[in-house]
Amino acid sequence: AIIPALTRVTTKDVDVTTSDGKCVRIPKDADIILPFYLLNFSEDVWKNPNDFVPERMEVVPDLQSVRHGFLPFSYGTRSCVGNLLAFQESQVAVAHLLRNFRLDRVDGFRPNTTLGISTVSSNGMRLKLVAL
């Protein structure tokens, strides 16, 4: 599941230039919400953001994904402590699956995403595992 947002408090005044060129001042002690879900699926950041295209990450240098709009575990000294474990577990799980199965999508299925502390599909996720 994805944590949809993170909050922070600014420690000083910050001037930010928006995508349309306007300068906006964010004052010291302002509450900021970083919407990971929106950044990770933004068409302003990613071409076809809802498509599964793992190759798009090949052009992102190691440890530079934040500059490219991908923040799955936050960033910096306060990033998620489960970051390394999650990556290691996912690599092992995917290796076992791909060694033994082919994944096919179920025609006509569309997940209904629900936001809370995590982003989940209220109707599950349906894939067909076809044994090799």
Side-chain angles (χ1 to χ4, degrees):
I2 300 170
I3 303 299
L6 178 70
T7 60
R8 292 287 187 255
V9 177
T10 57
T11 58
K12 62 182 180 180
D13 290 350
V14 179
D15 292 326
V16 177
T17 303
T18 63
S19 60
D20 60 356
K22 294 180 183 174
C23 185
V24 176
R25 174 158 290 204
I26 301 172
K28 180 181 182 209
D29 297 322
D31 291 318
I32 302 296
I33 297 174
L34 304 170
F36 294 143
Y37 187 85
L38 294 177
L39 289 172
N40 290 339
F41 291 93
S42 172
E43 291 184 357
D44 292 335
V45 178
W46 302 103
K47 181 180 177 183
N48 303 317
N50 292 305
D51 292 349
F52 180 69
V53 185
E55 296 81 23
R56 77 174 91 220
M57 298 308 290
E58 291 175 0
V59 298
V60 179
D62 288 343
L63 303 176
Q64 297 297 316
S65 66
V66 67
R67 293 186 181 152
H68 295 272
F70 186 62
L71 301 157
F73 293 95
S74 183
Y75 187 71
T77 58
R78 295 166 129 199
S79 65
C80 178
V81 297
N83 188 356
L84 181 60
L85 178 62
F87 278 119
Q88 290 172 341
E89 286 180 332
S90 65
Q91 289 173 343
V92 170
V94 168
H96 283 289
L97 281 172
L98 295 179
R99 187 176 294 158
N100 298 296
F101 297 93
R102 183 182 80 233
L103 299 173
D104 287 347
R105 70 185 171 125
V106 174
D107 291 331
F109 176 76
R110 184 175 173 99
N112 295 321
T113 56
T114 304
L115 296 177
I117 184 95
S118 295
T119 304
V120 296
S121 172
S122 63
N123 61 339
M125 186 60 67
R126 295 188 186 155
L127 296 171
K128 292 187 276 189
L129 288 174
V130 179
L132 296 177

